[in-house]
Amino acid sequence: MSGLRRGSVCLGLCLVAALTANAQTDAPSRRSGYHDMGKPLQAMQDDDMANPGMLWVGEGANLWNQRFAAADKSCADCHGAVQSMSGVAARYPAFTAGSDQPVTLEQRINLCRTQNQRADRLADGSRELMALTAVVAHQSRNQPIAPPDDPRLRPFIAAGEALYRLRQGQLNLSCAQCHDDNAGRKLAGVTIPQAHPTGYPIYRLEWQSLGSLKRRLRNCLVGMRAEPYAPDAPEYVQLELFLMDRARGLKLETPGVRP
Amino acid sequence: MSNALINVPRTVRRGEVFQIRTLISHRMETGFRAGTNGQLIPRDIIDRFSCTYNGVEVFSMRLTPAIAANPFIGFHTRATESGTIVLRWTGDNGFSVEETVAIEVV
């Protein structure tokens, strides 16, 4: 009898512990979309010889050392070897010197280009920008996502969360309805992932190319039959900030492979 | 623009069968897709891949529009003599990439 009671008390404590552990996220346990893919795709991502994202990483490594434009400076001239970028992708988006808004890694690279290299801004989603982002983010592979503890970021994260929970589009859906409430279940034949941005930029088989989180968000908006935000809209940065905060502690996989 | 990843063991024992794996950056545009203006986007694919080992062709294949972008090609061959392995991709619009890898047979 007393054994039984002890058992139930223990179970109760375990439940409390489990609930507190998950207080930060709505999902019962957080996991990268990697675990929702089939074995062949996981193998493709794990093998650097088969992961097409590594083509962009290689291209980015070449760009890193290339001198160009008015300043005749390469990224390496200021930053040194690209390995010095270790951990950077894990803490972006963030505030940067002289900006009154948080910027994503892609925007930060473009700021560096226009301010320090005096070169043209790289177009959104262009091959060069994706290659540079990929090689920088690749340096943080296997590192936990660690958004900075910056009080200035809080209103932006909150705005991102509001967008994440906002019903929108002709289907009147919010991000949370799929990725929190129904993650792990099927949408048509596909497992709905928890939407943790662990592998960006990702090589998506559907795109046959490497793409940013912004591109993925635009895809999702179109899928919800909502109007995608304007290309330079702050909404993308806010959503990215919220998603990175939500995925805090999960490991980066860049370049990820996704269906 | 084009870059390729190649994986060939540096040293192999004589007579051993070993694997060569390649991945090349290419958009493999099928020629069947229409652009935003409704016009067909012209075909732009790699149509042939070949591998020579000390001048002897040990593997070749024809690629078709149905093959995805950034084709991965893996195959096996037997180690005979030390020498060079030449990998060659050719395709539409004068696409031509050649990579040479040294191999040591012990």
Side-chain angles (χ1 to χ4, degrees):
Chain A
M1 184 69 201
S2 68
L4 248 180
R5 175 166 297 167
R6 246 203 315 276
S8 60
V9 167
C10 185
L11 184 68
L13 278 177
C14 288
L15 270 176
V16 170
L19 285 173
T20 17
N22 295 321
Q24 242 184 339
T25 57
D26 300 330
S29 72
R30 293 180 309 156
R31 58 195 218 146
S32 160
Y34 173 87
H35 300 287
D36 294 319
M37 310 196 296
K39 285 233 157 59
L41 271 185
Q42 292 183 348
M44 190 173 172
Q45 174 174 316
D46 292 340
D47 180 356
D48 281 351
M49 251 314 294
N51 184 340
M54 291 309 287
L55 292 168
W56 276 259
V57 171
E59 215 173 300
N62 289 336
L63 287 172
W64 183 263
N65 294 313
Q66 223 171 73
R67 289 200 179 93
F68 59 91
D72 196 33
K73 262 198 240 171
S74 71
C75 308
D77 284 340
C78 290
H79 296 283
V82 70
Q83 283 77 11
S84 66
M85 292 289 109
S86 169
V88 171
R91 57 182 166 81
Y92 264 81
F95 277 89
T96 176
S99 75
D100 51 355
Q101 286 195 18
V103 294
T104 62
L105 190 55
E106 284 98 322
Q107 289 171 324
R108 185 68 192 86
I109 289 170
N110 259 331
L111 276 176
C112 228
R113 275 181 72 90
T114 51
Q115 291 173 355
N116 304 328
Q117 296 180 306
R118 283 183 276 149
D120 290 334
R121 192 177 174 278
L122 289 170
D124 226 19
S126 62
R127 198 174 171 92
E128 290 92 342
L129 185 56
M130 281 300 101
L132 277 170
T133 312
V135 75
V136 170
H138 182 61
Q139 308 308 317
S140 306
R141 193 191 227 180
N142 291 326
Q143 293 185 25
I145 294 176
D149 203 13
D150 183 347
R152 291 176 298 169
L153 284 176
R154 277 177 212 147
F156 294 94
I157 295 173
E161 177 160 20
L163 287 170
Y164 183 81
R165 308 204 181 281
L166 176 74
R167 283 169 171 260
Q168 51 182 329
Q170 288 179 325
L171 297 181
N172 197 28
L173 278 173
S174 73
C175 313
Q177 280 176 303
C178 278
H179 297 292
D180 281 351
D181 303 348
N182 288 297
R185 299 173 75 182
K186 298 279 184 187
L187 180 64
V190 182
T191 307
I192 305 174
Q194 294 178 0
H196 294 301
T198 46
Y200 286 90
I202 56 168
Y203 187 87
R204 221 180 148 210
L205 300 189
E206 189 184 310
W207 296 336
Q208 304 242 317
S209 174
L210 201 77
S212 61
L213 177 55
K214 189 174 176 179
R215 181 171 180 186
R216 178 64 261 199
L217 290 172
R218 215 162 49 219
N219 270 194
C220 253
L221 287 165
V222 170
M224 289 151 68
R225 300 197 201 157
E227 179 109 16
Y229 309 117
D232 272 325
E235 279 88 344
Y236 291 116
V237 186
Q238 292 163 2
L239 272 169
E240 189 162 338
L241 266 165
F242 168 67
L243 290 175
M244 288 295 270
D245 192 56
R246 180 171 165 269
R248 186 185 287 270
L250 292 181
K251 289 203 168 99
L252 280 178
E253 301 157 15
T254 309
V257 174
R258 294 292 183 270
Chain B
M1 172 229 149
S2 206
N3 69 77
L5 299 178
I6 296 155
N7 185 300
V8 178
R10 204 162 295 158
T11 58
V12 198
R13 269 198 308 233
R14 191 178 305 276
E16 198 179 324
V17 172
F18 65 98
Q19 193 180 24
I20 298 174
R21 300 190 301 158
T22 70
L23 182 68
I24 189 164
S25 168
H26 196 284
R27 65 191 190 124
M28 295 296 279
E29 185 59 57
T30 62
F32 298 118
R33 297 194 311 157
T36 41
N37 58 2
Q39 302 279 314
L40 279 187
I41 305 169
R43 193 184 93 158
D44 180 17
I45 64 167
I46 297 173
D47 55 22
R48 190 176 144 79
F49 168 78
S50 70
C51 169
T52 58
Y53 181 3
N54 283 341
V56 181
E57 186 167 287
V58 290
F59 179 87
S60 78
M61 73 178 281
R62 217 159 50 79
L63 286 87
T64 63
I67 291 176
N70 310 314
F72 172 91
I73 302 170
F75 52 94
H76 293 84
T77 188
R78 191 180 295 278
T80 50
E81 291 294 326
S82 295
T84 53
I85 289 173
V86 180
L87 304 157
R88 197 177 287 117
W89 295 260
T90 52
D92 296 336
N93 303 315
F95 182 86
S96 174
V97 171
E98 193 177 289
E99 298 279 351
T100 307
V101 199
I103 185 161
E104 195 190 337
V105 175
V106 290

